[in-house]
Amino acid sequence: MRTWSGSPLSPADDLPVHQVAEVIRHPATSDRNFYDRYYFNAHNGTADEPFLVLGLGVYPNLGVVDCFAVARHGDDQVVFRASKALGADRTDTVVGPLRLEVLEGLERLRIVLEPGEDYNLEFDLTFTATGPAHLEPRHFHRQLERVTFDTQRFVQVGSWAGSLTVDGERFDASTWRGNRDRSWGVRPVGEAEPPGRRVTEAGNFFWIYSVLRLSEATICVVLQEDIRGRPVVEDATWIPHDGSEPRWLGHVAHDIDFVSGTRRARAARLAFTGSDGARTEVDVAILIANHFGFGTGYGLDQDWRHGMWQGEEKVEGRRFRVSELDVNLTMLVPVEYLATCTVRHPDGRTEEGEGLFEFGAIGPHERYGFTQYVDPAP
């Protein structure tokens, strides 16, 4: 790079993409919780083969880039994670043995995890979009005076090519599919901050994020509710695969069927009512759960959180058996569910689909009778 080592410039500054009077590597905000993240999932639509979830995040104000991959296969969850010091080049998406390549923006991306001694997972996978990238509503939430969420995200469905190996068993991914998203902005990351006066406020995180692919379109649902069920962010959108204009489906209602003694979802019904009274219903049937909050940095591990400083470079592997997970801990983080769905349109037509149902009922929520953080469903 043709600049002196202490310069804030990077190769990205040669592109006409600046948004504020700063170099690219400096976010417009100095908030420690600013992040920039990739997320993917990959599956073959059944519980017979692995359900893979992976991500890579950059935390400029913490000076860290990290990544993870977790494969649910049978009763096992096999986890890879890595972290390194963030360098000057924000386009450098290599973290230890994992690299992410944007082959064609909004169309094709490649993710490679080389084999290693500390984890039993490797893959070489290429994602090709089968639908347009859809920009979701901005997610903004303030607790007292502190902005805790101010994020932007787009979502996209696609197909996979390549292979995945788990515990020495190779799987051909040429018929796999899934979705990805890109999000950036401010949300809690890294080590926990002192809450200050916010500790006096009862908080919760009731969250539904569902990306359900049908034959000609994808339904994307984004919902966060407060304790009383009032929406913090709410959207249900019909996204045609041919790139034509998306359509708002209406306000979101939900009915979650919980596994007794837990807050895990067994099934769900979503309903969307438009301003004209037209009602679309979606019955969601769970196939398998990926408890991606264990070992990956989503807050359950005191020694490994997103953006947490791990030194110049660190690579680790973890393994969990789902049947042995602490039920109380599973109530403290959302779960990625692979699901099928039946959609009933306002005109009476029905059609089948599949995809992601991400769900978390963390903390109190009056609608389902939760008053504490770890009181389970009856």
Side-chain angles (χ1 to χ4, degrees):
M1 187 166 64
R2 292 183 178 272
T3 183
W4 67 284
S5 60
S7 171
L9 291 169
S10 70
D13 285 298
D14 231 353
L15 302 174
V17 295
H18 294 85
Q19 301 297 304
V20 296
E22 273 285 5
V23 296
I24 288 293
R25 63 186 286 199
H26 292 168
T29 174
S30 61
D31 193 317
R32 69 184 293 279
N33 289 332
F34 184 84
Y35 78 105
D36 207 340
R37 170 168 291 276
Y38 295 86
Y39 163 93
F40 301 85
N41 64 55
H43 60 84
N44 77 340
T46 75
D48 298 330
E49 293 190 359
F51 176 27
L52 178 69
V53 176
L54 61 103
L56 182 147
V58 175
Y59 312 91
N61 296 331
L62 297 175
V64 172
V65 54
D66 56 26
C67 62
F68 73 90
V70 52
R72 170 74 190 269
H73 184 35
D75 193 38
D76 290 318
Q77 292 216 170
V78 181
V79 178
F80 156 84
R81 63 191 191 188
S83 174
K84 75 171 186 179
L86 179 64
D89 186 359
R90 290 283 296 276
T91 66
D92 177 11
T93 49
V94 177
V95 187
L98 184 139
R99 70 180 185 273
L100 188 153
E101 305 169 12
V102 179
L103 303 176
E104 185 179 355
L106 304 183
E107 291 291 340
R108 290 194 309 128
L109 298 92
R110 182 186 181 202
I111 310 96
V112 178
L113 176 60
E114 302 289 352
E117 296 181 356
D118 299 320
Y119 49 91
N120 294 307
L121 187 63
E122 61 181 281
F123 48 77
D124 187 340
L125 297 168
T126 298
F127 177 94
T128 300
T130 55
H134 172 71
L135 192 64
E136 299 172 11
R138 190 163 178 171
H139 185 180
F140 184 90
H141 182 59
R142 189 189 298 272
Q143 189 179 11
L144 292 177
E145 315 319 316
R146 178 67 185 272
V147 174
T148 52
F149 284 86
D150 185 7
T151 66
Q152 185 71 74
R153 177 171 53 216
F154 69 75
V155 64
Q156 188 170 41
V157 295
S159 61
W160 290 98
S163 65
L164 166 76
T165 300
V166 183
D167 291 334
E169 184 178 0
R170 184 180 181 276
F171 298 89
D172 181 3
S174 60
T175 61
W176 286 25
R177 48 268 188 204
N179 70 269
R180 75 176 186 107
D181 68 52
R182 283 279 288 111
S183 64
W184 59 93
V186 172
R187 73 179 187 190
V189 300
E191 296 92 333
E193 297 178 83
R197 183 183 163 193
R198 288 180 293 148
V199 74
T200 65
E201 292 223 330
N204 80 322
F205 188 69
F206 185 93
W207 175 253
I208 294 173
Y209 182 71
S210 191
V211 183
L212 300 170
R213 182 163 62 176
L214 309 174
S215 60
E216 297 180 355
T218 292
I219 293 175
C220 182
V221 182
V222 185
L223 179 69
Q224 182 189 348
E225 292 182 347
D226 69 10
I227 292 170
R228 294 179 177 85
R230 296 173 299 192
V232 175
V233 61
E234 177 195 30
D235 188 63
T237 300
W238 178 269
I239 308 167
H241 294 161
D242 64 5
S244 55
E245 184 178 359
R247 174 169 54 90
W248 181 62
L249 291 172
H251 295 288
V252 180
H254 50 83
D255 188 9
I256 309 297
D257 179 14
F258 290 93
V259 176
S260 180
T262 77
R263 294 197 190 181
R264 296 196 304 270
R266 177 164 40 207
R269 172 169 289 183
L270 305 176
F272 319 122
T273 305
S275 56
D276 59 355
R279 182 179 173 91
T280 304
E281 294 183 344
V282 180
D283 286 332
V284 177
I286 302 300
L287 294 178
I288 194 168
N290 188 314
H291 293 268
F292 75 134
F294 287 80
T296 60
Y298 279 89
L300 291 180
D301 304 277
Q302 296 302 312
D303 64 335
W304 195 287
R305 298 188 179 189
H306 290 161
M308 191 173 185
W309 176 244
Q310 303 289 347
E312 288 297 319
E313 183 171 292
K314 190 173 184 178
V315 177
E316 291 186 343
R318 290 289 186 272
R319 177 182 292 271
F320 304 93
R321 296 191 70 84
V322 174
S323 60
E324 297 174 356
L325 293 177
D326 185 321
V327 171
N328 289 335
L329 291 180
T330 65
M331 299 184 199
L332 300 177
V333 69
V335 178
E336 306 285 81
Y337 295 99
L338 178 60
T340 60
C341 68
T342 301
V343 180
R344 287 185 293 279
H345 295 280
D347 62 4
R349 291 181 302 113
T350 64
E351 61 178 314
E352 307 297 316
E354 66 175 18
L356 174 71
F357 183 73
E358 179 180 294
F359 175 67
I362 303 169
H365 194 270
E366 292 179 359
R367 163 80 163 77
Y368 293 105
F370 300 134
T371 61
Q372 308 296 324
Y373 261 80
V374 291
D375 48 340

